């Protein structure tokens, strides 16, 4: 049995759940939360997140303090404080390796119509589907999968909250940089052949792999 | 009622001012009433390229601040009937004007002119926001270089956020010889990335530099290929269907001769 951490972040499709150990001191709780937020800064930065604080009773001063801390790193959406999760939302609290988004089979999806151009950044907690191109300098950041029905030339970060099962697929995959969970891959240096078939990127055995997603359709 | 067209690029030095001067002159030669606005406050150039620098009394900032009437600030180009210039102030900066004032200015000018061309400053800051505020249409200039195309892409995104959804593309300073060797991005690649309609392609032409320095737009030179390209662009703006110039045929005679020898050797 591992030692109980004062704060555990757990992602759900409705936002971030912050489990707080009721036996820990309040100072430890704040410290631990601050450290976690610092480590996750690039993930949270600028995004709008629903927050639910769970696990103990909070005084109004404590509520204010912790909310201030979170506001430094993200834009809080709805905020809730509860000492216990409502029964129907209870999900294996023993599962500590937290994923904001751990399903890739089905979830909320944001559709983007048209071209994502340089300087444009699209963030969504669920999946992102672009019906158009993504140009160099454009960024897609998704908690889940990224699908581009067009040519992808920008930067994609799928599974941004740590979901290594996420994939990036595109009609033409020519990314500047690809990130899935903590893995980063960039386009090879120099002139390379650009495949004229759809491809998919995913993590396998700790490596980021790109391959055609319709292998039978590709002539060797 | 006239049409306000902003000529922009994001990146500097790709030919916004030269293009504005030449398209404007070409439209005036077609018999249109045209006014060119230099929106590059603090770094004015359009007056120099048009050769009208020494006739500036009032400028754009004077007009929006009410120092003079609009009519007083407009410089009539005596060489071309129907062509006017509203110069930028040189002693002020971009913050001297706001988008609302530019909008009002454009509305006023629309009553009297067929085309109002705005020469946009480089960058995406205040000057850019001012320049596009009153525009009905936008022309995006790029040269066939990766950095320029990247900036053009950003600009197209910003234009569409302002409701200018269908800008037209001008590829400037294309060097056919370099494209053939694969040293320069070709037009198809550029259009493929930017995904907007092509208004025209202007070949690289040293005479443009000469004519800009002299203050005489290249469109008045019948022999200039770039001038021809600008004349065609002006016609397309007016709604005429003009095919692109065949740039490949511009090889020097000696090149053709050499080409002939080469092909014979192969046989």
């Amino acid at each position: 049995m591992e030692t109980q951490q004062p704060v555990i972040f757990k992602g759900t499709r409705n936002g971030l759940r912050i489990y707080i150990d009721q036996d820990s001191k309040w100072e430890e709780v704040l410290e631990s939360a601050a450290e976690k937020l610092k480590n996750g800064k690039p993930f949270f930065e600028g995004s709008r997140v629903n927050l639910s604080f769970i696990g103990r009773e909070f005084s109004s001063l404590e509520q204010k303090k912790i909310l201030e801390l979170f506001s430094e790193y993200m834009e809080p959406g709805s905020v809730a404080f509860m000492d216990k999760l409502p029964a129907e939302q209870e999900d294996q609290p023993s599962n500590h390796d937290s994923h904001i988004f751990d399903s890739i089979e089905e979830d909320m999806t944001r559709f983007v119509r048209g071209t994502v151009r340089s300087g444009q950044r699209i963030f969504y907690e669920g999946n992102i589907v672009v019906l158009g191109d993504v140009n160099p300098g454009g960024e897609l950041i998704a908690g889940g999968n990224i699908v581009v029905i067009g040519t992808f030339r920008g930067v994609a970060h799928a599974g941004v909250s740590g979901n290594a099962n996420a994939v990036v697929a595109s009609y033409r995959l020519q990314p500047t940089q690809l990130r899935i969970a903590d893995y980063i891959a960039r386009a090879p240096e120099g002139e390379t052949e650009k495949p004229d078939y759809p491809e998919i990127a995913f993590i396998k055995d700790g490596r980021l792999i790109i391959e055609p997603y319709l292998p039978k359709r590709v002539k060797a | 009622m006239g049409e306000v067209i902003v000529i922009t690029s994001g990146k500097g030095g790709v030919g916004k001012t030269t293009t504005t001067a030449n398209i404007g002159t070409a439209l005036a030669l077609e018999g249109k009433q045209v006014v060119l606005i230099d929106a590059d406050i603090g770094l004015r150039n359009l007056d120099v390229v048009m050769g009208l620098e020494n006739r500036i009394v009032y400028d754009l900032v004077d007009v929006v601040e009410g120092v003079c009437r609009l009519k007083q600030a407009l410089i009539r180009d005596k060489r071309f009937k129907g062509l006017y210039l509203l110069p930028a102030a040189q002693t002020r900066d971009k913050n001297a004007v706001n988008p609302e004032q530019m909008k009002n200015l454009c509305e006023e000018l629309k009553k009297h002119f067929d085309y109002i061309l705005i020469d946009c400053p480089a960058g995406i800051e205040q000057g850019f926001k001012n320049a596009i505020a009153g525009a009905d249409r936008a022309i995006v200039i790029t040269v066939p270089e990766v950095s320029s195309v990247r900036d053009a892409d950003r600009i197209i995104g910003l234009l569409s956020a302002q409701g200018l959804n269908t800008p037209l593309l001008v590829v400037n300073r294309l060097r056919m010889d370099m494209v053939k060797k694969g040293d320069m991005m070709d037009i198809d690649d550029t259009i493929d990335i930017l995904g907007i309609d092509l208004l025209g392609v202007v070949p690289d032409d040293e005479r443009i530099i000469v004519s800009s320095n002299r203050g005489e737009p290249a469109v008045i030179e019948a022999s200039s290929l770039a001038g021809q390209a600008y004349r065609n662009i002006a016609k397309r703006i007016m709604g005429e269907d003009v095919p692109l110039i065949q740039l490949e045929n511009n090889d020097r005679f000696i090149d053709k001769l050499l080409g002939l020898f080469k092909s014979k050797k192969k046989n």
Side-chain angles (χ1 to χ4, degrees):
Chain A
M1 187 77 194
E2 58 187 293
T3 52
Q4 182 76 355
Q5 295 181 42
V7 176
I8 292 160
F9 286 10
K10 187 163 174 65
T12 70
R13 68 191 59 174
N14 298 322
L16 197 59
R17 278 185 201 154
I18 300 103
Y19 291 94
I20 294 173
D21 177 34
Q22 57 181 356
D23 302 326
S24 299
K25 286 202 193 100
W26 180 244
E27 288 76 31
E28 280 175 25
V29 168
L30 276 184
E31 210 172 279
S32 168
E35 192 186 335
K36 279 205 156 69
L37 284 169
K38 214 173 187 179
N39 292 338
K41 197 177 177 203
F43 292 169
F44 299 129
E45 200 161 39
S47 53
R48 188 178 165 82
V49 184
N50 295 336
L51 300 171
S52 345
F53 297 95
I54 301 150
R56 61 184 276 165
E57 294 199 22
F58 301 88
S59 71
S60 60
L61 185 69
E62 286 172 343
Q63 294 190 1
K64 198 171 154 241
K65 268 265 162 64
I66 200 158
L67 207 56
E68 267 175 18
L69 177 67
F70 275 77
S71 306
E72 283 176 34
Y73 294 90
M74 63 187 83
E75 189 191 332
S78 70
V79 179
F81 291 94
M82 47 192 121
D83 54 354
K84 216 170 120 197
L85 262 191
E88 75 271 17
Q89 285 183 30
E90 194 81 51
D91 49 4
Q92 315 94 17
S94 60
N95 181 8
H96 285 168
D97 49 351
S98 54
H99 286 169
I100 283 203
F101 186 98
D102 41 19
S103 130
I104 77 155
E105 299 299 331
E106 64 178 272
D107 223 297
M108 300 291 282
T109 297
R110 164 118 187 244
F111 284 90
V112 181
R113 294 194 70 168
T115 305
V116 177
R117 297 184 183 276
S118 176
Q120 293 174 338
R121 183 186 211 200
I122 294 177
F123 177 91
Y124 192 67
E125 293 108 282
N127 305 304
I128 297 178
V129 174
V130 177
L131 305 167
D133 293 346
V134 178
N135 283 350
E139 281 181 55
L140 304 179
I141 299 160
N145 306 304
I146 293 174
V147 175
V148 176
I149 305 177
T151 304
F152 183 84
R153 304 185 183 91
V155 174
H157 196 163
V160 69
S161 43
N163 177 13
N165 292 325
V167 300
V168 179
S170 176
Y171 187 61
R172 296 286 181 270
L173 197 59
Q174 300 161 7
T176 314
Q177 201 182 79
L178 269 185
R179 305 181 199 145
I180 296 176
D182 309 334
Y183 298 87
I184 298 184
R186 58 181 171 77
E189 300 278 339
E191 289 288 305
T192 46
E193 210 172 302
K194 288 173 184 164
D196 57 351
Y197 42 81
E199 289 181 298
I200 184 166
F202 54 91
I203 303 289
K204 191 180 178 186
D205 303 330
R207 290 170 63 101
L208 200 153
I209 290 175
I210 296 178
E211 64 179 35
Y213 59 74
L214 296 170
K216 282 178 193 161
R217 298 265 183 91
V218 179
K219 290 171 206 135
Chain B
M1 203 60 171
E3 190 176 29
V4 182
I5 304 175
V6 62
I7 293 162
T8 181
S9 71
K11 194 164 155 50
V14 297
K16 288 180 293 296
T17 303
T18 312
T19 303
T20 309
N22 279 291
I23 295 179
T25 307
L27 285 168
L29 289 172
E30 294 286 333
K32 298 291 177 187
Q33 292 284 314
V34 182
V35 59
L36 311 177
I37 302 180
D38 191 348
D40 203 348
I41 301 166
L43 291 166
R44 71 177 179 208
N45 285 149
L46 187 56
D47 52 319
V48 182
V49 174
M50 292 299 294
L52 299 172
E53 189 181 14
N54 56 9
R55 293 184 48 202
I56 298 176
V57 179
Y58 295 111
D59 54 49
L60 192 150
V61 176
D62 291 329
V63 174
V64 298
E65 287 182 348
V67 175
C68 68
R69 280 173 290 120
L70 177 54
K71 238 183 166 174
Q72 288 176 298
L74 291 176
I75 301 169
R76 189 170 66 88
D77 193 323
K78 288 173 183 161
R79 296 164 296 180
F80 313 105
K81 195 170 166 287
L83 184 62
Y84 293 80
L85 170 72
L86 180 57
Q90 184 69 329
T91 52
R92 305 291 290 274
D93 64 29
K94 313 290 191 261
N95 299 320
V97 178
N98 67 41
E100 197 53 41
Q101 291 169 325
M102 283 299 285
K103 232 183 230 172
N104 296 338
L105 179 70
C106 291
E107 286 306 317
E108 187 59 33
L109 286 167
K110 268 180 176 178
K111 294 176 194 159
H112 308 288
F113 293 91
D114 299 319
Y115 291 100
I116 297 105
L117 302 185
I118 302 176
D119 181 20
C120 179
I124 55 173
E125 293 83 18
Q126 185 68 32
F128 170 75
K129 287 174 192 153
N130 287 340
I132 66 169
D136 302 315
R137 273 213 275 177
I139 295 175
V140 175
I141 314 279
T142 183
V143 295
E145 288 168 22
V146 177
S147 56
S148 173
V149 172
R150 195 68 48 91
D151 288 0
D153 187 46
R154 177 95 169 97
I155 287 294
I156 295 165
L158 292 171
L159 287 170
S160 104
Q162 287 294 314
L164 293 163
N165 284 319
T166 49
L168 297 168
L169 182 70
V170 170
V171 178
N172 199 7
R173 266 197 242 136
L174 187 78
R175 289 180 56 178
M176 242 13 252
D177 52 333
M178 287 182 74
V179 172
K180 269 188 213 160
K181 276 188 266 169
D183 295 335
M184 195 175 241
M185 290 179 77
D186 75 16
I187 304 167
D188 290 340
D189 287 350
T190 312
I191 297 172
D192 190 39
I193 289 180
L194 296 178
I196 60 174
D197 288 337
L198 186 68
L199 179 65
V201 178
V202 182
D204 194 37
D205 186 349
E206 343 187 296
R207 275 173 294 182
I208 287 279
I209 302 171
V210 180
S211 69
S212 293
N213 289 344
R214 274 205 215 123
E216 291 166 358
V219 282
I220 55 176
E221 271 185 64
S223 63
S224 162
L225 203 60
Q228 177 65 44
Y230 282 127
R231 284 196 290 276
N232 288 353
I233 287 172
K235 282 184 184 151
R236 290 188 200 111
I237 289 174
M238 288 160 54
E240 279 181 47
D241 194 14
V242 188
L244 289 174
I245 320 174
Q246 283 301 316
L247 297 171
E248 284 90 344
N249 295 345
N250 191 36
D251 289 347
R252 286 174 302 158
F253 178 68
I254 185 81
D255 291 335
K256 281 185 187 164
L257 216 61
L258 286 171
L260 210 64
F261 279 122
K262 272 182 198 157
S263 59
K264 268 195 178 166
K265 264 184 203 165
K266 272 180 205 159
N267 298 339

